[in-house]
Amino acid sequence: MTGGLYAAFSPATAHETESDTAKIEKGRELFLVGCSSCHGLNAEGISTQRDGQQYGPSLIGVGAAAVDFQVGTGRMPMAQPGAQAPRKTVAYNEEETEQLAAYVASLGAGPAVPTESDYSIDGLSAEERQEAIKNGGQIFLTNCTACHNFNGSGGAMPRGGYAPALKGVEEKHIYEAMLTGPQSMDVFSNGNLSPEQKRDVIAYLKSIENPTEYGGFGLGGLGPVSEGIFAWLFGVGGSVAFAIWIAAHTTRSKKGKVEA
Ligand code: HEC
Ligand code: HEC
């Protein structure tokens, strides 16, 4: 009897059977409150120029994956218009994010949220994982290092933006970033980089999160610039200091002083 009463009064059952239309409707309500001020009442975009920036782009056809990425990483709702929508505390729970995504997906066809079988590397055997890391490293070097640095530590972009560091980003969000190309990042559609190649990139990025230290100075792993500066300051600088020291200790320089 207790079980029967529980089943009758438990509110959870209502959620589980929530139909797609109800989800879309709830998503629309959330959207009107939290997003429409920038993206328009029907997500058609608002192109009011403020400080030369578009206020909020149209979301028709960006797909559920873009919403899941933007809202799931806290980028949206954007706090104020600016050069970059940075990561921040996530404002919506999983259910609400799903509803927002369903609403935007209902406006026009776009990439769907990837499933765990697309992005998860947990199911790979040790050898498969090695193979994936190797392939992923190649793909990363050719497609991503220009902006994110060979080590995934990020870098500056034109017009005040930046490509963020890629350490500690959730697997799903890495996949979605490739799929939707946020801001000035290129879009790597599934025709461009197959789902398997995307998963390989994820395996590679996860493998460099905790790199083995081989000793010596890491110099922050920032690549040629920091290494070059180090070489200049300590290598060339040291040589110059040594040359001055030699010049100051030769008989000729002493003789010069005597003559003066
Ligand atoms: C203060 C204004 C503002 C608010 C509020 C806002 N956005 Fe945005 N949104 C922007 C701007 C500007 C961009 C484009 C720049 C960027 O991607 O960083 C954007 C981009 C996006 C994109 C990426 C579109 C693409 O082409 O991939 C999505 C998805 C999105 N917003 C969803 C939302 C959702 C959902 C909400 C509400 C929870 C929301 N936004 C609230 C201003 C806003
Ligand atoms: C043209 C430059 C560019 C290229 C090439 C590029 N990215 Fe990005 N990437 C960016 C920028 C800029 C952002 C930040 C977007 C934002 O904050 O809205 C970004 C964001 C990301 C994020 C989100 C990080 C976070 O903190 O949530 C991931 C993951 C990512 N990129 C992965 C990749 C991978 C993998 C590749 C190669 C397949 C790649 N990117 C290629 C510029 C680039």
Side-chain angles (χ1 to χ4, degrees), residues 75 84-85 87 143-144 147-148 162 164 166 177 183-186:
R75 286 179 163 82
Q84 184 112 359
R87 248 175 192 276
N143 294 291
C144 323
C147 301
H148 287 285
Y162 59 89
L166 300 182
Q183 276 203 317
S184 45
M185 176 164 158
D186 303 321

Side-chain angles (χ1 to χ4, degrees), residues 53-70:
Q53 268 155 354
Q54 196 191 23
Y55 205 24
S58 160
L59 298 182
I60 295 167
V62 302
V67 177
D68 195 63
F69 173 79
Q70 299 281 349

